[in-house]
Amino acid sequence: PGGLPMLVTGTEYEKTVGHRPEAYQPAMDSFGQTCTKGDDGKGRIQGGYWDFQAGDFMLAARKQWLDVLAYPETSWTFGIDSSILCKFFGRGLRNVVLLPPCFNVHQHHRIRENPNARRVVDPEHLCTLCKADPKQRLDPRQRPPDL
C-alpha cells in the first residue's frame, strides 16, 4: 500500500515522484492500457514521439537499431539519450510507453544531475538533425558512423 510515493516520502527523491511516466496524462491516455490489453497500434503522443528520459529503457528490433546506427557517439552527453527517439521517429517508427502494470527497475536519482553532461548542441536542434539523417556525423570529432 502506498507504493513508490510512500517509499520516497521524506527523502531527497520525493520531488521526483511527479516525474514518473504514469504522472503524465497524455501518456496514460495513449498507452495506459497497453500492458493489460495490448497495443492496438493507434496510441500516439502529440508531436509523434515522447521524450521522457528515453535513453535508459529502449526496446526495438535489431534491424531498427542497425538502420539508424544506434546512438550517436559524440564527445558530449547532453541530449544523446533522446536522440535515438528522434532517429526512430525520423524513420517512421512509433514509440510506445509501457506503463503500470508493466514496470522496469530504475535507480532513482536527482533530476538533471550529471557532472559529465555538457550541453554542446541544443537538444531540439540535435533531434532535428537525427530525424533528417540518422547516419550523419554530428561533430567533426565523431568517428565515422558506419564503423
Side-chain angles (χ1 to χ4, degrees):
L4 180 64
M6 185 176 176
L7 291 173
V8 298
T9 298
T11 72
E12 64 184 296
Y13 305 113
E14 184 173 6
K15 64 184 175 186
T16 68
V17 170
H19 296 279
R20 294 176 302 151
E22 58 270 27
Y24 184 56
Q25 193 58 49
M28 290 300 292
D29 294 344
S30 297
F31 307 114
Q33 300 295 313
T34 301
C35 288
T36 55
K37 296 184 179 177
D39 179 25
D40 62 7
K42 296 178 184 176
R44 296 213 179 343
I45 295 290
Q46 185 177 356
Y49 70 96
W50 184 35
D51 179 4
F52 195 83
Q53 296 83 38
D56 292 340
F57 312 100
M58 293 294 304
L59 295 172
R62 183 174 192 263
K63 179 189 180 319
Q64 304 304 335
W65 287 100
L66 293 172
D67 285 349
V68 299
L69 298 179
Y71 290 92
E73 292 182 352
T74 63
S75 61
W76 71 88
T77 58
F78 198 90
I80 296 301
D81 280 1
S82 303
S83 68
I84 197 69
L85 287 178
C86 301
K87 287 181 164 199
F88 286 152
F89 182 71
R91 305 285 59 90
L93 296 176
R94 175 181 69 94
N95 78 329
V96 174
V97 183
L98 301 178
L99 299 166
C102 288
F103 72 93
N104 56 48
V105 177
H106 180 260
Q107 179 180 349
H108 253 291
H109 55 82
R110 289 180 286 278
I111 298 169
R112 298 199 186 283
E113 182 177 301
N114 178 348
N116 300 313
R118 292 181 17 229
R119 186 176 182 152
V120 174
V121 175
D122 178 74
E124 290 297 321
H125 180 64
L126 177 63
C127 185
T128 299
L129 293 172
C130 289
K131 283 191 275 190
D133 179 4
K135 297 180 180 182
Q136 69 180 301
R137 288 178 85 171
L138 301 170
D139 185 84
R141 294 170 292 185
Q142 179 182 349
R143 70 182 183 163
D146 56 349
L147 288 180

